[in-house]
C-alpha cells in the first residue's frame, strides 16, 4: 500500500473537510483492516488525537468512543454486566489480543464487514450510533444505508436493558474469521436471533423470533420448528471457508 499524505486530525470538522474534498482518502480508525483499502491512497487521516478512546457509564446507557480498542471492550466491567456479557464475550473471540489491541469498535462498525463478530451482538443489544453531522441513528438503520459514509462516527451507545444474551462462533480455529455466528438475546418475552458471517451482513431471523417469543415453555419441538423457520428465511451461501450446505 502506498500513502501519499498522512494527516493527523486535530478536530472533527477537519476530518470531514478532508473527506469531502479528497476523492481518494482513508480514515484510519485503528488500522486492523488496512489491507481491505485501495493499494494507493492520497490522504490517510489519523483519529488518535481526537479523544475518542473512552468507555463512559451513564444512567440509561454505556457510551463507547469510536476509537476504543476491542480489547478495552472485552475488559470493561460495565459492559460485562450487560446482556450476560454478550458483547464482551463476542469481542473476546475476535482473533487474538494483539489484533484486539489495534482494532477499534468504530472501525469494526463503520466498515459493515460481513464477517463481523461485533455487529450481531451490538444489534441484539439495540446499539445506537452517534455521528458528528448526522447525530443519533440506530445501528440497524445505519446498516441499511447504501454506500460509504462521509460522516465521522463519534461513539456507540449501548442501552442498559435487562437482557440476557448468548453468542456462538463457528470457525476453523479460534484465530480465524467466523464461518457462521449466531447471537440470541431475550428481553422480557421478546427473543432476538441474528445470524452473521453467512457469508454476508448480519440478518435477523424474524419469523423464528416471532414464533419463539410467543412460546411460554420451550421444548425440543419448538426449537426444531424455529430452526426450520431460520433456514427458510435467512439466506446462506458458499465461500472459501465453507459450503452453503455446511
Amino acid at each position: 500500500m502506498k500513502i501519499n499524505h498522512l494527516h493527523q486530525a486535530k478536530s472533527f470538522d477537519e476530518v470531514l473537510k478532508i473527506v469531502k474534498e479528497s476523492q481518494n482518502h482513508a480514515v484510519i480508525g485503528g488500522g486492523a483492516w488496512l489491507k481491505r483499502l485501495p493499494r494507493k491512497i492520497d490522504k490517510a487521516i489519523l483519529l488518535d488525537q481526537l479523544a475518542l478512546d473512552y468507555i463512559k457509564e451513564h444512567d440509561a446507557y454505556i457510551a463507547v468512543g469510536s476509537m476504543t480498542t476491542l480489547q478495552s471492550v472485552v475488559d470493561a466491567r460495565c459492559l460485562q454486566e450487560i446482556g450476560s456479557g454478550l458483547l464482551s464475550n463476542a469481542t473476546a473471540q475476535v482473533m487474538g489480543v494483539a489484533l484486539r489491541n489495534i482494532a477499534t469498535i468504530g472501525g469494526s462498525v463503520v466498515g459493515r464487514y460481513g464477517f463481523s463478530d461485533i455487529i450481531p451482538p451490538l444489534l441484539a443489544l439495540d446499539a445506537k450510533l452517534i455521528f458528528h453531522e448526522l447525530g443519533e441513528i440506530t445501528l440497524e438503520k445505519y446498516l441499511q444505508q447504501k454506500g460509504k459514509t462521509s460522516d465521522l462516527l463519534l461513539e456507540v451507545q449501548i442501552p442498559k436493558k435487562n437482557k440476557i444474551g448468548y453468542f456462538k462462533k463457528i470457525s476453523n480455529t479460534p484465530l480465524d474469521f467466523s464461518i457462521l455466528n449466531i447471537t440470541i438475546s431475550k428481553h422480557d418475552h421478546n427473543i432476538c436471533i441474528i445470524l452473521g458471517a453467512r457469508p454476508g451482513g448480519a440478518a435477523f431471523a424474524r419469523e423464528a423470533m416471532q414464533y419463539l417469543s410467543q412460546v411460554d415453555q420451550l421444548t425440543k419441538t419448538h426449537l426444531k420448528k424455529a430452526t426450520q423457520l431460520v433456514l427458510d428465511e435467512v439466506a446462506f451461501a458458499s465461500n472459501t471457508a465453507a459450503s452453503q450446505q455446511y
Side-chain angles (χ1 to χ4, degrees):
M1 175 183 292
K2 180 180 180 180
I3 298 175
N4 292 331
H5 302 283
L6 193 61
H7 188 83
Q8 184 74 65
K10 302 296 184 181
S11 70
F12 303 150
D13 289 335
E14 183 181 3
V15 175
L16 296 186
K17 184 176 185 294
I18 296 174
V19 167
K20 293 176 181 179
E21 290 179 352
S22 174
Q23 294 183 345
N24 184 17
H25 68 271
V27 178
I28 310 299
W33 314 118
L34 285 177
K35 286 187 176 181
R36 299 180 66 86
L37 296 175
R39 300 187 68 178
K40 293 183 179 181
I41 297 173
D42 183 32
K43 292 183 179 180
I45 310 164
L46 302 179
L47 307 178
D48 51 299
Q49 292 189 8
L50 297 182
L52 292 173
D53 180 1
Y54 60 82
I55 298 177
K56 299 177 181 179
E57 188 169 5
H58 300 270
D59 290 339
Y61 65 90
I62 294 174
V64 183
S66 61
M67 286 294 287
T68 303
T69 66
L70 298 187
Q71 188 59 44
S72 295
V73 171
V74 174
D75 295 336
R77 183 175 296 274
C78 58
L79 292 174
Q80 294 170 3
E81 296 173 350
I82 291 183
S84 310
L86 177 59
L87 180 60
S88 300
N89 293 335
T91 307
Q93 298 181 54
V94 176
M95 302 300 182
V97 175
L99 184 137
R100 293 199 297 270
N101 278 325
I102 298 173
T104 62
I105 191 169
S108 301
V109 169
V110 170
R112 298 192 186 103
Y113 301 120
F115 56 78
S116 176
D117 292 327
I118 308 298
I119 289 177
L122 283 173
L123 283 170
L125 293 171
D126 303 321
K128 297 178 181 179
L129 309 180
I130 308 299
F131 284 91
H132 180 51
E133 289 189 331
L134 177 63
E136 180 182 300
I137 184 174
T138 65
L139 174 58
E140 183 178 358
K141 287 186 177 180
Y142 171 72
L143 295 174
Q144 294 170 354
Q145 294 181 350
K146 304 297 183 181
K148 184 179 179 180
T149 181
S150 60
D151 207 344
L152 177 61
L153 177 62
L154 304 182
E155 71 178 28
V156 178
Q157 293 184 354
I158 303 169
K160 289 182 176 180
K161 294 183 179 180
N162 186 25
K163 288 192 174 189
I164 57 175
Y166 176 77
F167 174 85
K168 177 67 175 179
K169 170 183 176 178
I170 305 297
S171 61
N172 290 321
T173 72
L175 297 181
D176 280 333
F177 291 116
S178 289
I179 295 174
L180 180 70
N181 62 53
I182 181 170
T183 300
I184 302 174
S185 68
K186 183 178 180 181
H187 182 223
D188 295 331
H189 293 290
N190 298 315
I191 290 179
C192 178
I193 304 172
I194 302 172
L195 284 300
R198 304 171 288 116
F204 287 89
R206 298 192 185 278
E207 294 295 330
M209 289 164 52
Q210 182 178 6
Y211 170 70
L212 290 177
S213 295
Q214 297 173 349
V215 175
D216 292 326
Q217 295 293 328
L218 285 176
T219 66
K220 290 184 178 180
T221 300
H222 293 128
L223 295 176
K224 185 176 181 180
K225 180 174 180 180
T227 300
Q228 189 58 53
L229 288 172
V230 171
L231 294 174
D232 291 342
E233 180 181 9
V234 180
F236 299 89
S238 300
N239 66 2
T240 56
S243 67
Q244 179 182 13
Q245 183 59 37
Y246 176 86

